[in-house]
Amino acid sequence: MFKKIVITLFLSLFVFGCSSSGKLTQTSALTSEIDHTATIVLSVSTNKDVSEDQAKAAEDFANRLQDRLFGKLVSREVFTGVNQDRTSAKYTLDVHVSGAKKVPTAARIFFGVLAGSNNVTAEVILKEIKTGETITSFQAEGKSAAHPFSSESGADDAIREVSEQIVTGLL
């Protein structure tokens, strides 16, 4: 009986954290229909008043997230274009990376599942440029797998998950 319990616990720890995940929390309801044929101005920012390690992780995540969203918002037909020119865009999409945890590879190798997962949290606000009205706002979270042998344990997996949540929140 004891042997079965030990084996079950071991297998549970082995399987724990094998996949990445995301979460979307609406903070304000949709005030008007989103025009999916419009173009947007994308802005991704980070907290500046955090520790140096957190600031580096947040800046890295923000850069990766901006790159990923730039293509994904158009390819998933959320908007027809992402511009830097405010005069030709209908909306601004402000993404603020408010939380970031990057697990170093060495920690993942030495501590395995106990090292935790890569996490990124972003506050998202979609505003109409002409009126300044907030169309919607929400919080998106992405988390990589915690297991070191999972194919979804990297920082890019957390970025993929948070970007999926952002797209979902805008559709």
Side-chain angles (χ1 to χ4, degrees):
M1 180 65 168
F2 179 72
K3 186 176 181 180
K4 287 181 182 180
I5 292 172
V6 170
I7 289 172
T8 303
L9 285 174
F10 176 74
L11 288 176
S12 295
L13 281 175
F14 186 74
V15 174
F16 174 72
C18 283
S19 65
S20 57
S21 63
K23 180 180 172 186
L24 178 69
T25 307
Q26 197 77 31
T27 54
S28 75
L30 198 63
T31 59
S32 63
E33 189 71 27
I34 296 174
D35 179 5
H36 295 293
T37 63
T39 59
I40 64 161
V41 174
L42 175 64
S43 169
V44 181
S45 62
T46 63
N47 283 343
K48 301 296 181 196
D49 56 337
V50 293
S51 72
E52 188 176 334
D53 288 342
Q54 287 177 332
K56 285 181 183 178
E59 190 65 36
D60 179 43
F61 282 163
N63 289 334
R64 291 185 195 196
L65 183 58
Q66 182 166 351
D67 291 344
R68 187 167 207 104
L69 285 174
F70 217 86
K72 186 172 261 194
L73 291 169
V74 175
S75 69
R76 296 279 301 275
E77 299 179 351
V78 179
F79 298 106
T80 57
V82 179
N83 298 343
Q84 297 301 325
D85 180 21
R86 293 178 64 90
T87 59
S88 64
K90 182 172 184 174
Y91 299 113
T92 60
L93 181 64
D94 296 316
V95 180
H96 181 75
V97 176
S98 57
K101 177 187 169 201
K102 193 171 186 180
V103 178
T105 305
R108 186 160 316 284
I109 291 169
F110 288 117
F111 301 114
V113 174
L114 300 176
S117 59
N118 294 291
N119 299 312
V120 61
T121 304
E123 309 297 328
V124 181
I125 301 172
L126 179 68
K127 288 185 178 182
E128 189 170 352
I129 291 176
K130 285 183 183 176
T131 64
E133 175 189 8
T134 298
I135 305 300
T136 188
S137 65
F138 54 89
Q139 182 182 55
E141 297 176 46
K143 185 185 274 190
S144 72
H147 201 284
F149 297 119
S150 172
S151 63
E152 298 181 357
S153 64
D156 283 334
D157 298 302
I159 298 296
R160 183 190 69 243
E161 291 293 337
V162 77
S163 67
E164 275 300 316
Q165 297 305 313
I166 291 170
V167 166
T168 299
L170 295 170
L171 285 176

